[in-house]
Amino acid sequence: MADYYNYLIVVLLMVMGLYIVMAQGNLVKKLIGLNIFQTSVFIFYISTAKVSGGTAPIVIDGAELYSNPLPQVLILTAIVVGIATMSLALALVLRIKRAYGSVEEDVILEQDKSC
Amino acid sequence: MVRARDLFATVMLSGIYGLLSASFFILMDAADVAFTEAAVGAGIFPLLMLTVLTSVGRYEAERRRVRYLPLFVMVVLAGALFAAVLQMPPFGAVDAPSHGHVAQRYIQDSPAEIGIPNMVTSVLASYRGFDTLGEVVVIFTAAVGVVVILLGGRPKTPQQSTQALMAEHKVLRVVGKMLIPLILLFGLYVQFHGEYGPGGGFQAGVIFAVGIILYAMLFGLSNAQRVVPLGVLRWLVALGVLIYGSVGLANLVVGGEYLNYSMLASDPVTGQHIGIILIELGVGITVASAMVLIFFAFTRATRSRDELEE
């Protein structure tokens, strides 16, 4: 079991993030939950890249074993793309606030029903 | 984090969470990723969130009881995922399937083929250059989307409020004045040192943007816009993607393949070097200007709302 603790952490973070997205009514909090979910995927990829006894994939003298650079590349770009798409979501939240006067799910749904 | 009604506290906690995940990444040998996560998770993300909070309010509405259905679904999901991950190779396994195939080739051949020590940069900019082009286009599109959503369709609001968010904090201003040039300088270092150490266009762009955003927060949006006007930023966001794409086309012109830089110089390794420096520059320009543009759009949107309410 000790060899699998990285997956344990990833799964816990993932369901925590997903729970926040589903159960919270505040749109800002939903996005924070989504961010946690996203980070759990990042940690999953990076943890599969780790090789015991390896070092960071930058060539240095005396190093024989390197960790896998490929997942690191994928996640490196995913983080920056993630913040860009997250800001798109935040922009939508700002517009919702402007249109409905609230960022609470209940209030928005109520207003939608009444009109 | 779930319980706190104060969204400010939640945002601060998520900043700390970003810094913590950056240290996880360092521990797992991913220096480049940790760099990015530290600048994004503990830098840009909380800053954007705080700007949004000035508009949506600091406190959320009174919460109702715990929702049992999602909780139940999550417990079941967690159980299923736990059962699934036990089939995965153990943490740190040398013979894990993901380390075979192309990864071996990248590790063994990239120093000779690309000629730069940082394998992450050579995979990012050269082997998977087309993929990275796609990512840069996504960032560009997201920035365009934010500008359209927040600034589109409304007449330009006159810049009345020159008051900075934190103008009254003397200590912050003095410390900020000393730090901002260093942050910008560090951003440039990360940009041009990315082939040898951890770094590159993505990290440098984010770090550079944090410096300018900090300036805007301390000295006011209108001052920051005098340094980097919105119009210039719009051009820069597109310019970065354009540089990236044109390097690809230049390869076609000299008779190579799209985004294969070997033909750019007489010596393939030198060609790769030139290509990587150019496209990293494109990435850096797009990322930095996209982040600053997004922040400016957010600040303007929240600012004009407040003026309307008054």
Side-chain angles (χ1 to χ4, degrees):
Chain A
M1 203 59 213
D3 291 336
Y4 293 91
Y5 69 94
N6 62 321
Y7 302 117
L8 223 94
I9 294 167
V10 167
V11 170
L12 279 181
L13 282 174
M14 191 176 261
V15 291
M16 261 154 64
L18 210 54
Y19 176 75
I20 298 176
V21 174
M22 287 171 79
Q24 290 290 327
N26 187 296
L27 292 180
V28 176
K29 267 200 174 173
K30 272 181 194 287
L31 287 180
I32 291 177
L34 204 59
N35 185 50
I36 294 176
F37 184 84
Q38 198 179 23
T39 322
S40 79
V41 179
F42 297 162
I43 296 175
F44 175 71
Y45 266 71
I46 297 300
S47 68
T48 59
K50 168 75 182 156
V51 175
S52 324
T55 174
I58 297 170
V59 178
I60 43 168
D61 293 334
E64 305 247 304
L65 203 57
Y66 295 105
S67 286
N68 191 347
L70 185 57
Q72 300 192 2
V73 172
L74 300 179
I75 294 313
L76 166 64
T77 53
I79 291 176
V80 182
V81 169
I83 185 72
T85 47
M86 183 64 75
S87 53
L88 197 62
L90 285 172
L92 287 174
V93 168
L94 281 180
R95 273 306 276 266
I96 289 171
K97 168 77 178 173
R98 211 187 279 162
Y100 291 86
S102 169
V103 289
E104 299 289 335
E105 206 178 30
D106 315 346
V107 182
I108 294 167
L109 289 176
E110 202 105 315
Q111 285 190 23
D112 269 351
K113 262 182 211 151
S114 62
C115 64
Chain B
M1 208 127 124
V2 188
R3 283 272 137 233
R5 275 191 59 234
D6 187 351
L7 289 173
F8 180 74
T10 324
V11 170
M12 284 301 141
L13 280 176
S14 58
I16 295 171
Y17 173 69
L19 203 59
L20 276 179
S21 15
S23 42
F24 286 165
F25 293 150
I26 278 281
L27 288 178
M28 293 189 283
D29 292 343
D32 286 273
V33 183
F35 232 132
T36 322
E37 176 64 25
V40 168
I44 301 253
F45 180 72
L47 286 179
L48 286 181
M49 279 288 182
L50 288 181
T51 321
V52 171
L53 285 196
T54 58
S55 169
V56 302
R58 179 170 171 178
Y59 295 96
E60 70 173 324
E62 200 62 63
R63 287 304 309 150
R64 15 172 222 266
R65 65 215 144 58
V66 181
R67 289 214 184 152
Y68 290 104
L69 181 64
L71 198 61
F72 174 71
V73 173
M74 288 310 124
V75 170
V76 173
L77 183 66
L81 286 174
F82 279 139
V85 295
L86 289 179
Q87 311 290 322
M88 296 281 294
F91 179 58
V94 182
D95 53 354
S98 63
H99 304 325
H101 310 292
V102 287
Q104 275 315 313
R105 193 193 129 96
Y106 291 153
I107 291 172
Q108 275 154 13
D109 298 344
S110 80
E113 276 181 349
I114 314 290
I116 57 175
N118 189 349
M119 297 171 206
V120 174
T121 304
S122 46
V123 175
L124 177 106
S126 188
Y127 292 109
R128 296 186 64 87
F130 200 62
D131 183 20
T132 311
L133 175 63
E135 315 262 13
V136 176
V137 173
V138 172
I139 294 167
F140 169 72
T141 316
V144 171
V146 170
V147 170
V148 168
I149 290 172
L150 291 181
L151 302 181
R154 285 186 313 125
K156 276 190 180 151
T157 42
Q159 290 288 302
Q160 291 160 344
S161 44
T162 48
Q163 196 65 22
L165 282 171
M166 294 192 257
E168 67 274 29
H169 296 287
K170 278 246 162 56
V171 176
L172 277 182
R173 285 173 75 113
V174 172
V175 174
K177 241 181 195 164
M178 293 193 297
L179 275 182
I180 288 167
L182 291 179
I183 294 176
L184 296 183
L185 202 64
F186 184 61
L188 288 177
Y189 168 77
V190 171
Q191 169 81 48
F192 294 109
H193 204 253
E195 291 94 65
Y196 303 100
F202 283 98
Q203 297 91 321
V206 175
I207 293 171
F208 209 79
V210 168
I212 294 173
I213 290 173
L214 197 60
Y215 183 80
M217 291 184 94
L218 290 175
F219 299 99
L221 188 63
S222 49
N223 278 330
Q225 283 192 349
R226 220 173 295 151
V227 182
V228 269
L230 264 184
V232 174
L233 277 177
R234 284 183 186 162
W235 280 100
L236 282 179
V237 174
L239 179 73
V241 183
L242 193 68
I243 292 178
Y244 201 135
S246 334
V247 172
L249 285 181
N251 294 315
L252 287 182
V253 171
V254 296
E257 295 126 347
Y258 192 70
L259 290 175
N260 179 1
Y261 322 117
S262 297
M263 303 284 278
L264 284 181
S266 50
D267 174 30
V269 173
T270 320
Q272 291 285 351
H273 232 111
I274 296 171
I276 288 175
I277 287 176
L278 283 177
I279 69 123
E280 289 273 18
L281 193 66
V283 171
I285 291 174
T286 293
V287 170
S289 45
M291 293 300 151
V292 175
L293 188 62
I294 287 168
F295 179 79
F296 281 3
F298 273 43
T299 321
R300 280 172 72 125
T302 50
R303 205 55 77 67
S304 48
R305 244 195 64 80
D306 295 343
E307 279 159 17
L308 283 179
E309 275 171 3
E310 283 162 13

